[in-house]
Amino acid sequence: MLLFLLAAGLTLIFGMLGVINFAHGAIYMLGAYVSYETGRRTGSFLMGVLAATFFTALAGAVIEKLTLRPLYERPHFYQLILTFGLILILSDLVRFVWGPGYQEVAIPQLWNGTVDMLGSTIPMYRLFVIGFGALVSAGLYLVLEKSTFGMLVRAASSDAEMVRILGLPVGTIRMAVFATGCGLSGLAGAIAAPLFPIELGMATNTIIDCFIVVILGGLGNIRGAIAASMLIGMVRALGYVYLPGWVDIMTFVLLIGTLLTRPQGLFYRTARTA
């Protein structure tokens, strides 16, 4: 579910806008640092999560309006160059503000414990991440599939010119989608902060996993992203137990097999017919 939280924003942006956002990992890193700084100043983990989500969503809106908007009609390599440059800018910004060292966020006291379940001892915070991820996935599904905003987003992604002719603000819709995707990435960074050290490598270490989820699940398919995240998580969990030296290879074999057999995504048909 943590992988889903991280990949959900990229799924939304890549699937709905067609933007290949290589800076998604940098936004995730920025969310973790904002959560750390807010929590350090306020003593509240919840305030850190809210601040990270709001700040990264606002940053996403600014990035979309000032940099991405002129590139929608151009070839995708313009987006690749731009978002790669954003990785460098955001990484240098974080290094300037927080330095190159590691930072840590303490697990909230409410979730700082363990639970005995099925013969295993499971940290309560990980159970919280599972439950929180489930709530986020349900919320995204309802917004994208059942709301008027979701209908507008799907229309703008499939035929932006027709939506513009009808008098609807395509630019505002695109900015809202990109801001939401960045906000989800920042939210994932804040939720992951108590589990992993916060450091500059977060900007690049996670982006490959995000794109794997997007490819396996199908573009713009939230249900597919959930299923792909769980599939990758289970493959890695079994790999760490039985074949620890082959975990990364197993993940890439799964990706390559999907590209060769179902390049549209393993769960594309389910999303279309459900």
Side-chain angles (χ1 to χ4, degrees), residues 39 83 99-100 167 240 260 266 272:
T83 54
Y240 284 128
L260 292 176
L266 292 176
R272 298 284 293 181

Side-chain angles (χ1 to χ4, degrees), residues 137-220:
S137 64
L140 281 175
Y141 171 75
L142 291 175
V143 169
L144 293 178
E145 300 292 336
K146 304 297 182 181
S147 70
T148 302
F149 175 73
M151 179 183 67
L152 292 175
V153 169
R154 296 195 304 272
S157 64
S158 61
D159 196 337
E161 188 61 31
M162 181 58 69
V163 172
R164 189 176 291 109
I165 291 174
L166 292 174
L168 297 174
V170 174
T172 302
I173 294 171
R174 284 173 168 170
M175 183 171 66
V177 170
F178 194 84
T180 302
C182 290
L184 287 170
S185 181
L187 174 63
I191 296 297
L195 296 175
F196 308 105
I198 303 173
E199 44 93 19
L200 293 172
M202 296 173 70
T204 55
N205 293 341
T206 57
I207 191 64
I208 295 177
D209 289 340
C210 290
F211 276 106
I212 292 176
V213 170
V214 171
I215 293 170
L216 294 183
L219 299 183

